[in-house]
Amino acid sequence: MGFFDPIWMTKNYNKIDKARATIRKINDNQKLTEIAIKAPLQLVALEAIQMMDDEETLFEFAKTDGLSNEKYPLAIRTLARERIEDQTLLEKLISSIDYEDADANMLYEKVENPPLD
């Protein structure tokens, strides 16, 4: 970590609480996307996903081949999928995943009219 890197770029586990508190003050989805993709620590990246309020952006993280943090792709994808409430986006997700996907059951339960196949 360089001298002037933002706190969310920390690799020091002792600074996670400070990094997460800083992220909670951010309401720019573009900045939160950058943090989710680049944060070296999983809890910091997940905090950015938790703070996002744009479901289209969450959808991009929720897709199997979507945006992600290369170190924590499954955790990022799962949290993004949990946060999406838009029925159209959930239906698009279901149509794009394999029924053996780890989050398939959770997604099917969230969709009001899940496909029968």
Side-chain angles (χ1 to χ4, degrees):
M1 185 168 97
F3 188 69
F4 295 108
D5 284 339
I7 187 66
W8 58 264
M9 285 296 292
T10 187
K11 294 178 184 174
N12 183 338
Y13 286 96
N14 294 326
K15 295 183 179 182
I16 285 178
D17 289 340
K18 184 175 181 182
R20 292 174 73 192
T22 299
I23 292 167
R24 287 186 202 112
K25 296 175 186 174
I26 299 171
N27 58 10
D28 177 356
N29 283 296
Q30 188 172 1
K31 184 65 175 177
L32 292 167
T33 297
E34 176 187 7
I35 294 168
I37 292 170
K38 295 180 179 178
L41 297 177
Q42 181 175 350
L43 288 175
V44 175
L46 291 175
E47 190 70 39
I49 294 290
Q50 190 63 40
M51 294 305 299
M52 286 182 191
D53 61 6
D54 177 21
E55 292 206 11
E56 290 287 340
T57 303
L58 288 170
F59 177 75
E60 291 303 317
F61 280 98
K63 295 187 311 188
T64 302
D65 60 347
L67 296 173
S68 193
N69 181 306
E70 66 182 36
K71 294 181 181 179
Y72 317 107
L74 184 58
I76 295 282
R77 186 169 50 243
T78 297
L79 181 57
R81 288 175 176 182
E82 288 173 359
R83 301 239 15 260
I84 294 174
E85 296 297 327
D86 182 279
Q87 290 296 306
T88 303
L89 294 176
L90 288 169
E91 289 171 11
K92 284 170 73 173
L93 272 176
I94 285 177
S95 68
S96 70
I97 65 169
D98 189 289
Y99 71 94
E100 293 178 358
D101 188 289
D103 296 327
N105 286 338
M106 178 264 300
L107 289 171
Y108 272 87
E109 289 176 9
K110 290 180 72 167
V111 173
E112 292 173 2
N113 296 309
L116 298 176
D117 55 353

